[in-house]
Structure formats: C-alpha cells, structure tokens
Amino acid sequence: MKNRVDDMYESLRAQIEENFLLICEEIQKIYSNEYQKIWMEIASKLTELFLATVTLQQNKKKGEIKYIYIQYLHSSLNTGKWGYRIEVFDEKFYLSKEEICVYYYPEFLYQLWEKDLMLWNQKLRPMYPRIQEYEMEKIKTEYIEYYNLICRTLFKDLAILILNLSAWKQVKREKKVTILFGGYMEKGIIIHSNEIDM
C-alpha cells in the first residue's frame, strides 16, 4: 500500500524525468567549460589515494590492487553535501584490515541540485500541505539516483585517464584491474575493466 511520500514522488515522476533531460544538457555545458578544473580535482584526490596505497604496499600492509571502487554515500545527503568515497582493494576486498580511501564532492553539481530541490518543493506544497522534513529527505534519496547516474557516466569517461595517472603506475596491481561504481558497502557496477600494461 502506497504511503504519502510514495504518492508525492509519483506525482513528480514525469516532471523529474523531463527536467532531468534538460539538466543533462546543462551539465554537459558545465562539464565542457570546466573540464580541466573538474579533472584536476579528481586527479588530485586519486593521486593522494594511490600514493598512500604505495606506502602501505611498501610496508607489506596492502596486496596487489584489483579494484578501484567509487561509492556514493547515502548518509551524506543528511549533511546537504553528498559525495563519493573512492577506495582501492586487493583480492581481500572488504575483508582487508587496512582501509584506504579519499572523498570526492562534485561541487560543480551542487547548484543544480539545490535548484532542483527548490523546484520540487514548490511543486509539491500546493498539493501536499505541511510537508515534513523527513518526507523531503525520502524524495532526495530517490532523486539523487539521477545525479549518481551522471557521476557514474563521468567516472566511466575518465577511466582511461585515471589509469594513466603517474601515481597509479607506482601502485603494485594485478594485471586485470576493475573500476566499480555503486553504493557504499553495496555491490558495485563495473564501469571499466581491462588488461593493464605493467
């Protein structure tokens, strides 16, 4: 049985999907204009991650890297600044005793995100008086999936560049490295996987 929050989201679904197409066009323009800045921010974070990995490997605390996992953080919605945890794993994956990660916050998307939320709020209020904060939180949780799709595409486009960073070439890694994208502590989707020249 549907509850009020489900009804609220369903009432917006068609507008959300239509709006998302326009948002994608706007994001493409931003990405084209600010590509170098966006890439440098991501490259800086990954360089930090890879160099820290090298240090752990030198100290025999990390094996050959098999996965790079980009994980969206469900909890970060509560802070109003959602982001991604980027982590490297050897064959032990989550069983590894040594965690190593960095966090990336796609600030170039925040303004559009806030604008969208204001729009949905305005659309809903005439139909659903006295909207509670927890109700909007559930709508945010549903809607963020559209932005996660954008970021998944972004990282997929950047995969070759990521694997060509000089810091990555210092990392001891398996011949086949897979880049995953998904929710934190969830099963990820493969966005890039190939045989890497050692």
Side-chain angles (χ1 to χ4, degrees), residues 53 82 102 155:
T53 302
W82 45 273
V102 292
F155 281 106

Coordinates of all heavy atoms in Angstrom, one line a residue, residues 53 82 102 155:
T53 N 48.5 4.3 -1.0 CA 48.5 2.9 -1.3 C 49.9 2.4 -1.5 O 50.2 1.3 -1.0 CB 47.7 2.6 -2.6 OG1 46.3 3.1 -2.4 CG2 47.6 1.1 -2.9
W82 N 26.4 15.9 -0.7 CA 26.6 14.5 -1.0 C 27.9 14.3 -1.7 O 28.4 15.2 -2.4 CB 25.4 13.9 -1.8 CG 24.9 14.8 -2.9 CD1 24.0 15.8 -2.8 CD2 25.4 14.8 -4.2 NE1 23.8 16.4 -4.0 CE2 24.7 15.8 -4.9 CE3 26.3 14.0 -5.0 CZ2 24.8 16.0 -6.3 CZ3 26.5 14.3 -6.3 CH2 25.7 15.3 -7.0
V102 N 39.7 8.1 -0.2 CA 39.6 9.5 -0.3 C 38.1 9.9 -0.5 O 37.3 9.0 -1.0 CB 40.5 10.2 -1.3 CG1 41.9 10.0 -1.0 CG2 40.2 9.6 -2.7
F155 N 32.7 9.2 -14.3 CA 33.9 8.4 -14.0 C 34.2 7.4 -15.1 O 35.4 7.0 -15.3 CB 33.7 7.7 -12.6 CG 33.9 8.6 -11.4 CD1 32.9 9.1 -10.7 CD2 35.2 9.0 -11.1 CE1 33.1 10.0 -9.6 CE2 35.5 9.8 -10.0 CZ 34.4 10.3 -9.3

